[in-house]
Amino acid sequence: MLRWLKYTSLVLILSTTFSFHSFRLCENSQLISHLEDNIEFRVDSLLSLMTLQEKIGQMSQVRHFDDIKEGDIKTKLIGSIIHTEGPTPGKSAEQWQQKFIQLQKEALSTRLGIPLLIGVDAVHGQNTFNGATIFPHNIGLGATGNANLVKKIAEITALEAQACGFNWVFSPCAAVPYNERWGRFYEAYSENSELTTQLTQASILGLQGRLDQENTVMACAKHFFGDGATDYGDEGGITSVSRKEAYQRLITPYKAAVNAKCGSIMASFNSYHSISMHAHKDYILDTLKLAMQYDGMVVSDWRGYSRFGGDSIIQAGIDMVMAVNGGLDSFQNTLRKSVESGVVSMERIDDAVRRILRQKFRLGLFENPFPNKDLIAQIGRKEHRDLARRAVRESLVLLKNDGVLPLDKELSKIVIVGEHANNTGLQSGGWTIHWQGTDTSYFGSTTILQGIDSLFKGELVYDSLATMRVSDADLAILIVGEKPYAEFLGDIDGVNEHTLTLSSEHRAYLRAYKDLEIPMVVVLLSGRPLVVTEELEQSNGFVAAWLPGSEGLGVAEVLFGDYNFTGKLAHSWAKSVTDFDGLYGPNYWDSNITPLFPIGYGLSYTNFER
Ligand code: GLC
């Protein structure tokens, strides 16, 4: 206790002196730089008091539910806690806040009382919480091309994440995807690096705002770099593009992240020129930290230390290790021995800890380590869902329309076909409630069928599996697409169930209604452009709706002409599966593959009046 009092009084004297000093100088606009200087001063003061074990503790990140037991945060001096797929703290956000407050108090009870970073994969809203507003995945936001909208979405995501007790989100994904076979294609914005850069920057600014506010969080641009540009779209595979192309296309979004003062960057699973990105000193330490002057923290991905070379990832520039799934003790013990033996320098450890402490000070965690319970009431509020619905509308891309759209609300009978029509789990994709998504509707969400039902005045028939063959309908709307997936389980690799085309079941739905010779509108729910050339020929209208999230009404509003289509493809759209015979799919820079639709394509209603 005495040491703690000594530390507190030391820091109080130092920071009081500094704040008095900075107060006198705050007459001019140098206040910000002095606040930063103050942070640097406080970082160095705190670092000077830390033991090696305390430093390595700060570099450790674990899950709250099974990587630690009661007391471990205090004894192992953990620096960060995360929630991922696994037991949740409870059904209510109050329970989530209480859990993380309890863990935070444990951290604050240590000798130096350094608060925790508490992180979560909130990649399209606070998607781990049942009841949060779920936005379109980034592939749909890429189709909006609307940076201001993306920034507003990020602001709401940050608020709903804070309401659940988090101060860090592992978002945005800054990948530039080359191949639709990649299981994370939908997590990225576009094949166009400039658009990806704009939207990445917008997301970071929205998430972080003024970092020390209670409704903002630290962002994490990921995965540095080349995750979406692997050969054949293999998640965690080999990225073989030239260094020039890597700089021009893949690293560009990270320049924007650095300029936006993104608090953290996550290393990528893939390798680049035969070196794991986690252990790539040329790019993490030398390029990102030195050449690009990045002063934030670099975090490993899942079990990065044990998977990608142990100490070599620390030497390459990784500052915090996701030492989950039982990796904590081996990480802490091995690194400690490596430092004691001189294999890893104390200078590198101090740089890592300095970067971690810097973000904790910038977040204001030393002054305000706990979430504001008043934010809880804002989770899933109408204004948030209204914005999500607007994002759905703006994300839709009209690929074909022979005049069948917009739909007439006064038609006598419409039949809706497909299990995707009435299931918000299927319309939201991976990273929704669960890591791999869910196949049931979740709290607070609206299905596309419910949306259509709220607008349409005539008779609505739901033929989920196309078995009813409703031949007297004026029109059929077929809502088809992919089942949810995430990461490597979404790769189209001949092993997973996913294919570049629609499933045979869904192709049968279209044939069944084509045979009835009634007009057909197809709405495709997918995490990537699929090869649907045949289905386009069969249909009268065709809409790419991507993975719209919780607000299915947004799809219905545009189908009925309450709003016009404004979405434009953020990717080239393949015409045939043979477009994928090479390393990549069709991309605007590759003249060897002529796509069915080019990037930027999208129809709209002519003579539209709203
Ligand atoms: C995963 C993903 C990464 C995510 C992390 C924590 O493996 O690669 O995007 O943030 O683990 O869930």
Side-chain angles (χ1 to χ4, degrees):
M1 195 54 188
L2 185 61
R3 275 183 303 170
W4 165 244
L5 282 175
K6 230 171 38 179
Y7 157 67
T8 311
S9 50
L10 170 67
V11 174
L12 271 178
I13 292 164
L14 291 167
S15 55
T16 311
T17 314
F18 229 85
S19 49
F20 173 72
H21 177 64
S22 59
F23 178 74
R24 278 194 308 108
L25 288 166
C26 74
E27 293 140 25
N28 60 40
S29 61
Q30 287 176 342
L31 177 61
I32 299 297
S33 63
H34 269 272
L35 288 176
E36 277 296 307
D37 292 348
N38 194 356
I39 285 178
E40 291 311 306
F41 188 86
R42 295 169 76 186
V43 166
D44 289 338
S45 307
L46 182 49
L47 187 64
S48 68
L49 301 172
M50 295 174 73
T51 64
L52 175 58
Q53 194 189 358
E54 287 165 330
K55 293 176 181 177
I56 292 176
Q58 283 301 303
M59 298 169 70
S60 309
Q61 178 183 84
V62 291
R63 289 175 300 191
H64 66 86
F65 47 81
D66 67 356
D67 290 328
I68 50 169
K69 61 186 181 305
E70 182 89 24
D72 274 358
I73 288 177
K74 187 159 185 168
T75 55
K76 297 179 180 179
L77 301 159
I78 305 291
S80 173
I81 288 289
I82 61 175
H83 175 74
T84 69
E85 181 59 26
T88 70
K91 287 193 182 309
S92 73
E94 285 82 357
Q95 288 170 302
W96 286 57
Q97 281 206 10
Q98 278 315 313
K99 173 69 179 177
F100 298 128
I101 288 169
Q102 172 230 320
L103 297 176
Q104 189 67 282
K105 284 180 177 173
E106 199 177 324
L108 296 175
S109 70
T110 56
R111 179 177 81 95
L112 294 174
I114 301 173
L116 291 168
L117 288 171
I118 304 175
V120 69
D121 289 288
V123 296
H124 63 140
Q126 206 302 64
N127 41 255
T128 65
F129 182 72
N130 195 343
T133 308
I134 304 298
F135 296 94
H137 267 296
N138 285 350
I139 188 168
L141 300 185
T144 73
N146 187 338
N148 187 43
L149 175 63
V150 167
K151 183 169 181 288
K152 289 178 185 301
I153 287 170
E155 288 166 356
I156 292 171
T157 299
L159 186 154
E160 295 198 9
Q162 273 281 6
C164 291
F166 297 102
N167 53 43
W168 185 13
V169 297
F170 304 134
S171 180
C173 177
V176 178
Y178 280 37
N179 194 323
E180 282 75 358
R181 290 181 181 277
W182 185 39
R184 309 190 73 163
F185 198 89
Y186 63 85
E187 292 187 54
Y189 293 109
S190 174
E191 71 187 36
N192 179 302
S193 186
E194 285 66 39
L195 178 57
T196 299
T197 298
Q198 280 171 22
L199 301 185
T200 295
Q201 184 159 18
S203 179
I204 293 164
L205 294 174
L207 289 169
Q208 297 196 152
R210 257 198 47 223
L211 206 49
D212 61 353
Q213 287 174 318
E214 60 187 19
N215 59 349
T216 59
V217 294
M218 180 165 77
C220 181
K222 69 185 188 182
H223 311 77
F224 185 79
F225 70 86
D227 47 348
T230 58
D231 298 351
Y232 309 106
D234 290 350
E235 163 60 5
I238 295 167
T239 301
S240 56
V241 300
S242 71
R243 292 180 190 282
K244 183 174 177 230
E245 182 169 342
Y247 270 109
Q248 287 176 343
R249 193 166 288 138
L250 307 179
I251 294 178
T252 301
Y254 289 92
K255 292 175 191 163
V258 170
N259 294 338
K261 296 192 80 61
C262 188
S264 62
I265 288 176
M266 186 180 290
S268 191
F269 285 143
N270 59 283
S271 64
Y272 183 60
H273 293 186
S274 309
I275 300 172
S276 161
M277 273 312 304
H278 270 70
H280 220 311
K281 182 174 175 295
D282 289 359
Y283 287 99
I284 298 177
L285 202 56
D286 300 346
T287 300
L288 182 62
K289 291 185 169 182
L290 296 178
M292 294 165 66
Q293 298 185 319
Y294 181 56
D295 73 354
M297 54 182 278
V298 179
V299 63
S300 86
D301 202 339
W302 200 260
R303 290 182 62 89
Y305 185 81
S306 57
R307 293 168 63 186
F308 300 111
D311 293 340
S312 62
I313 77 163
I314 305 300
Q315 288 161 321
I318 299 274
D319 302 310
M320 181 179 278
V321 169
M322 200 178 287
V324 292
N325 236 350
L328 177 63
D329 291 342
S330 61
F331 161 61
Q332 290 195 335
N333 297 334
T334 309
L335 184 56
R336 190 186 71 252
K337 289 175 188 144
S338 299
V339 176
E340 286 166 349
S341 63
V343 169
V344 176
S345 72
M346 184 60 85
E347 184 193 7
R348 176 70 272 274
I349 297 298
D350 285 350
D351 174 55
V353 177
R354 184 172 285 113
R355 289 167 180 270
I356 293 166
L357 295 179
R358 181 179 294 139
Q359 296 312 326
K360 293 186 175 185
F361 278 115
R362 284 177 176 166
L363 273 161
L365 292 181
F366 287 86
E367 290 76 24
N368 182 14
F370 302 119
N372 178 348
K373 65 184 183 316
D374 296 342
L375 296 176
I376 291 173
Q378 298 196 45
I379 296 176
R381 66 186 288 190
K382 181 181 182 306
E383 293 78 2
H384 295 178
R385 294 190 184 280
D386 288 349
L387 188 79
R389 186 152 50 87
R390 175 187 152 198
V392 172
R393 294 195 298 261
E394 293 191 25
S395 69
L396 305 178
V397 181
L398 182 57
L399 298 179
K400 178 179 181 182
N401 183 21
D402 68 1
V404 69
L405 291 168
L407 303 178
D408 178 351
K409 292 176 183 176
E410 308 294 331
L411 284 174
S412 59
K413 182 185 276 191
I414 290 179
V415 58
I416 309 289
V417 180
E419 61 276 27
H420 282 64
N422 202 32
N423 184 319
T424 54
L426 297 183
Q427 77 190 37
S428 299
W431 299 102
T432 309
I433 313 299
H434 294 290
W435 174 48
Q436 292 296 318
T438 177
D439 60 1
T440 57
S441 289
Y442 49 86
F443 185 75
S445 58
T446 305
T447 68
I448 297 171
L449 174 63
Q450 290 167 331
I452 292 170
D453 191 27
S454 69
L455 298 178
F456 181 54
K457 307 281 183 280
E459 181 188 354
L460 202 56
V461 179
Y462 182 37
D463 180 10
S464 172
L465 304 177
T467 52
M468 296 162 63
R469 303 281 201 280
V470 183
S471 56
D472 63 343
D474 300 301
L475 176 98
I477 304 175
L478 289 90
I479 302 181
V480 295
E482 295 187 292
K483 292 177 183 168
Y485 51 81
E487 299 196 48
F488 56 90
L489 294 176
D491 283 1
I492 298 176
D493 57 5
V495 176
N496 291 325
E497 63 176 331
H498 309 291
T499 58
L500 287 165
T501 62
L502 278 178
S503 65
S504 54
E505 293 82 5
H506 286 179
R507 291 206 302 275
Y509 294 174
L510 270 80
R511 280 198 302 276
Y513 272 86
K514 185 66 185 169
D515 292 347
L516 296 176
E517 296 184 347
I518 53 179
M520 271 197 325
V521 173
V522 175
V523 177
L524 176 64
L525 297 180
S526 65
R528 45 202 161 194
L530 297 179
V531 176
V532 289
T533 309
E534 185 184 328
E535 290 76 16
L536 274 157
E537 284 158 15
Q538 292 172 331
S539 61
N540 301 83
F542 200 105
V543 177
W546 316 112
L547 297 170
S550 57
E551 308 310 314
L553 174 58
V555 176
E557 289 177 310
V558 180
L559 291 179
F560 283 103
D562 288 358
Y563 294 84
N564 202 347
F565 284 95
T566 57
K568 304 297 178 192
L569 291 181
H571 291 278
S572 311
W573 194 294
K575 61 187 176 303
S576 160
V577 294
T578 58
D579 291 349
F580 296 90
D581 288 351
L583 292 181
Y584 314 123
N587 292 297
Y588 71 91
W589 62 81
D590 180 358
S591 56
N592 298 315
I593 304 174
T594 305
L596 183 65
F597 300 114
I599 187 169
Y601 181 86
L603 304 174
S604 57
Y605 296 139
T606 49
N607 315 316
F608 178 81
E609 286 174 18
R610 174 163 158 62

